Amino acid sequence: MTTVDVMLPHYGRLDLVQATIRSVLAQDDPNWRLTILDDTGESADDALADWCAGLDDKRVQYRLNPRNLGINRNFQQCVDLVEHDLAVLVGNDDLMLPGYIGTVRRAHAAHPEAAIIQPGVEVVDADGAPARSLVDLGKRWVYAPRVTEATVFAGQELAVSLLRGNWLYFPSICWRSEPLRRTGFREGVDVVQDLALVLDLVLDGESLLVEPTTCFQYRRHDASVSSAHAADGRRFTEERRFFLETADRMTARGWPRAARAARRHLSSRINALTRLPAAARHGGLGGVRALARHAFGA
């Protein structure tokens, strides 16, 4: 019986993470185990720990990091603690629809070779209402492959597609645990750690399965880490370095089209342009310069 390890790296609002946990508890398929890794460290109170204990469900485990590890290392800790065949690193403000676990387990049974399963996702706002941002419209209608049934992608074609525009929703992805543990997250990469991990797996010969069944709600809101880092330019400083390094790796692999897509990183440049007004209002001159350098740089 395939069990899904649901790993929940937490640092944020109590009400949102409680909603995430409730969505796991409400799954139609009971073959899951949930581990909450609280990274609030020394500043943590007992509210989340007490609430989790009150659930009285042996499938739920709460762990408090004695000190703050930061995004990248807490996510890596999630990977290190995975025990079962499949794993999900769910966001602490996202929601699984009741059929999520059943959907990814059936997808894995049908395509056991796929290291990455991307199910269908609905994007919602901070209040849980359907949301339609420019980023998500681009993901759906420009970059994501159009499929009506479960479809496997791999190799340079997959790399080119993701480097043109990252159409994945990382917190919704179900991973085959063995390649996930073998590869892990690159240390020192925060904002693009998701794309870095996927491309590392693709370069290692692994494949990705798109399962179009909608079974996950991704929350898009201004309080997210990526949104905060975008306002002052940190996101795009990291992205620029990542794409140039990736172009060199794709060239070394003999994937010239993927290397060109990485050097152009057109969707990332467009994203930086759309955030220039907000950076001017909130991020200061440094943020504006960083975004402009990313958008127009060679």
Side-chain angles (χ1 to χ4, degrees), residues 4-64:
V4 180
D5 264 318
V6 181
M7 313 302 290
L8 202 170
H10 171 62
Y11 189 97
R13 284 169 47 180
L14 178 62
D15 60 333
L16 292 180
V17 74
Q18 287 173 327
T20 302
I21 294 169
R22 290 191 189 98
S23 77
V24 180
L25 295 170
Q27 290 300 296
D28 296 337
D29 188 324
N31 293 289
W32 53 266
R33 298 293 182 273
L34 172 62
T35 304
I36 301 111
L37 291 102
D38 190 342
D39 199 39
T40 48
E42 298 90 341
S43 62
D45 57 33
D46 295 329
L48 180 56
D50 292 344
W51 186 82
C52 290
L55 297 173
D56 194 26
D57 191 320
K58 293 181 179 178
R59 295 172 298 176
V60 178
Q61 180 184 14
Y62 171 86
R63 298 170 62 108
L64 173 65

Side-chain angles (χ1 to χ4, degrees), residues 160-210:
V160 169
S161 177
L162 291 171
L163 287 164
R164 284 176 176 165
N166 183 8
W167 43 268
L168 300 174
Y169 285 94
F170 173 71
S172 71
I173 290 174
C174 183
W175 311 82
R176 206 171 82 241
S177 299
E178 188 278 323
L180 175 65
R181 284 192 298 262
R182 183 183 69 237
T183 303
F185 289 99
R186 298 187 202 172
E187 191 166 359
V189 178
D190 293 327
V191 176
V192 292
Q193 64 175 356
D194 52 347
L195 182 58
L197 171 58
V198 171
L199 289 174
D200 285 345
L201 288 167
V202 174
L203 283 166
D204 204 29
E206 301 291 351
S207 60
L208 181 151
L209 171 69
V210 176

